[in-house]
Amino acid sequence: MDAFEKIEQILKDIEQNNPQNTEELETFRIQYLGTKNIFKGLSPLFRDLAPADRGRFGQLLNKAKQAAKSKFDTLQEQLSIASANQVERPDLTASAAPQSLGSRHPVSLVQNQIIEIFQRIGFTVAEDREIEKDWFNFTALGMPQDHPARDMQDTFYIKDSMENLLRTHTSSVQTRFMKDHKPPIRIIAPGRVYRNETISARSHCQFHQIEGLYVAENVSFADLRQTIYYFAKEMFGATKIRMRPSYFPFTEPSAEVDVWWGTATETDRKITKGTGWLEILGCGMVDPKVLENCGIDPEKYTGFAFGLGIERIAMLKYQIEDIRLLFENDVRFLEQFQSAAIF
Ligand code: DAH
């Protein structure tokens, strides 16, 4: 192969050589641009050329060197752009990072379900403060300062004032709402309540209640009974309820409501203490005095009210034995509600 053939061959090689990555590009660089590059080996051939041919050969040699250099520059730039892009561009073929799905707290699940049931029959949600005036929590509800029924609910007072307290029940929302609104009133009031009680598997110093209140013309005990029956049917699939006479300072007459739970299984018998009946709430006709306290004419309007504990219902529904689990927020406990219906 003479010098011209050789240089033509090198030119062709350069053209066909297409390094794909930085390693191949480095090999290319060493071969054509390094200190011992391929062109250096051509010197002896150059010396043997006839002087007339040397100019032409020199041009070809320069052409080859330039071709190598410009190819190297172009490829180097392309590769560095590609690697920069690689850093910024997410790998769309990678599998998605595992994301743990949150779950709703059982108290929220039950609360939302109860709200939803009452909303279907025209109740709207009313919420109010947890730090409440004594008057709304007790006095307006027929429990003046020395009333013995106050002992039923051990109260957290704020700064010994005896004027402000942590509400002991959501019945305080009744009195608040009646003071500010004219009948017809049809509300349910969910919220947190507090009682100064020793914490155990069965009782806690904080829990949640839902209060219901319906005040309008001609509201009767039959309306109350039918409303509670509808709720029991929707919530528990209960086929019957029973009402037992009871006492609350703010209702007259008052009743406690049991749903028919049945005695089919061991658990049914255990939670109903063998009777098949399960107490779910307290209720009654709003005492005319309470209406009057809140600026509503008891000659014109009547009403019913009811109150229930959400934790109690959640514990029944999900067979939770210890109320403390509902406040500890242990993820292992909460995770179990992952697949529960989301309301
Ligand atoms: N406030 C009562 C309690 O905390 C529950 C209750 C009973 C509310 C009867 C009512 C009612 O509105 O009519 O124990």
Side-chain angles (χ1 to χ4, degrees):
M1 211 188 278
D2 73 9
F4 285 101
E5 281 169 357
K6 185 103 189 163
I7 194 78
E8 292 287 357
Q9 182 60 50
I10 292 174
L11 259 168
K12 211 185 275 172
D13 288 349
I14 291 170
E15 222 172 84
Q16 284 167 3
N17 192 336
N18 286 310
Q20 297 295 312
N21 52 44
T22 43
E23 269 169 38
E24 287 175 19
L25 187 64
E26 180 60 4
T27 313
F28 181 93
R29 189 192 64 79
I30 293 167
Q31 191 174 6
Y32 296 106
L33 308 169
T35 46
K36 291 180 190 157
N37 63 53
I38 196 163
F39 304 110
K40 296 213 163 135
L42 298 179
S43 299
L45 296 174
F46 180 77
R47 259 178 265 123
D48 294 344
L49 281 176
D53 289 335
R54 286 188 184 165
R56 194 157 63 91
F57 182 82
Q59 279 173 2
L60 277 174
L61 185 63
N62 276 339
K63 193 178 161 192
K65 282 181 178 173
Q66 265 162 23
K69 175 82 173 95
S70 85
K71 185 153 208 171
F72 175 80
D73 289 346
T74 313
L75 285 171
Q76 190 180 41
E77 198 181 340
Q78 279 173 6
L79 281 173
S80 78
I81 289 172
S83 76
N85 283 351
Q86 229 162 34
V87 176
E88 283 164 28
R89 206 189 298 147
D91 178 2
L92 298 180
T93 63
S95 57
Q99 287 205 339
S100 55
L101 202 56
S103 53
R104 289 205 195 256
H105 194 280
V107 168
S108 302
L109 287 170
V110 168
Q111 178 174 305
N112 292 347
Q113 193 182 356
I114 296 171
I115 289 173
E116 211 252 328
I117 290 169
F118 281 107
Q119 276 177 338
R120 272 186 250 151
I121 51 172
F123 284 76
T124 50
V125 173
E127 284 176 309
D128 221 302
R129 67 212 70 188
E130 292 178 14
I131 297 176
E132 190 47 280
K133 292 254 176 281
D134 182 292
W135 193 84
F136 289 99
N137 192 82
F138 286 128
T139 310
L141 286 162
M143 287 175 276
Q145 208 57 252
D146 52 359
H147 197 283
R150 286 195 177 208
D151 296 343
M152 276 158 58
Q153 305 180 355
D154 290 316
T155 310
F156 286 116
Y157 285 93
I158 308 248
K159 289 205 182 125
D160 305 325
S161 74
M162 303 301 277
E163 159 123 26
N164 296 313
L165 47 79
L166 295 180
R167 68 179 177 196
T168 59
H169 53 183
T170 43
S171 302
S172 61
V173 186
Q174 277 192 35
T175 43
R176 280 266 171 206
F177 202 89
M178 285 196 281
K179 268 221 135 215
D180 292 345
H181 298 82
K182 288 192 179 349
I185 291 168
R186 194 156 28 176
I187 53 159
I188 34 166
R192 197 184 289 258
V193 301
Y194 303 85
R195 288 185 197 177
N196 192 357
E197 273 175 24
T198 320
I199 298 174
S200 72
R202 294 271 128 207
S203 74
H204 209 283
C205 59
Q206 57 171 333
F207 53 100
H208 297 76
Q209 287 186 334
I210 289 197
E211 188 80 10
L213 176 70
Y214 180 28
V215 181
E217 283 179 52
N218 302 319
V219 176
S220 69
F221 199 90
D223 296 328
L224 168 61
R225 189 183 161 90
Q226 196 56 28
T227 304
I228 301 300
Y229 174 61
Y230 173 76
F231 166 67
K233 191 159 60 77
E234 296 297 305
M235 187 76 199
F236 303 104
T239 51
K240 52 183 176 176
I241 60 169
R242 76 178 180 190
M243 297 177 110
R244 282 178 290 105
S246 183
Y247 170 76
F248 298 104
F250 32 91
T251 44
E252 182 57 38
S254 304
E256 269 164 326
V257 177
D258 300 335
V259 294
W260 178 247
W261 190 268
T263 50
T265 68
E266 181 74 32
T267 317
D268 292 343
R269 286 190 291 276
K270 190 173 153 206
I271 58 181
T272 65
K273 299 196 178 85
T275 65
W277 291 103
L278 204 62
E279 185 192 323
I280 54 159
L281 55 80
C283 63
M285 299 305 291
V286 182
D287 192 309
K289 192 88 185 88
V290 174
L291 295 176
E292 203 179 310
N293 289 343
C294 299
I296 290 176
D297 181 359
E299 297 294 330
K300 190 165 178 207
Y301 298 106
T302 50
F304 67 68
F306 56 89
L308 55 91
I310 301 178
E311 278 78 3
R312 180 174 156 74
I313 307 244
M315 288 167 78
L316 287 171
K317 185 167 170 162
Y318 298 113
Q319 318 264 303
I320 299 163
E321 301 252 309
D322 190 325
I323 193 172
R324 288 169 292 197
L325 286 166
L326 294 170
F327 293 96
E328 282 163 359
N329 286 333
D330 185 327
V331 178
R332 292 165 302 176
F333 169 75
L334 295 176
E335 267 174 358
Q336 300 177 69
F337 300 90
Q338 198 96 275
S339 58
I342 301 218
F343 291 98

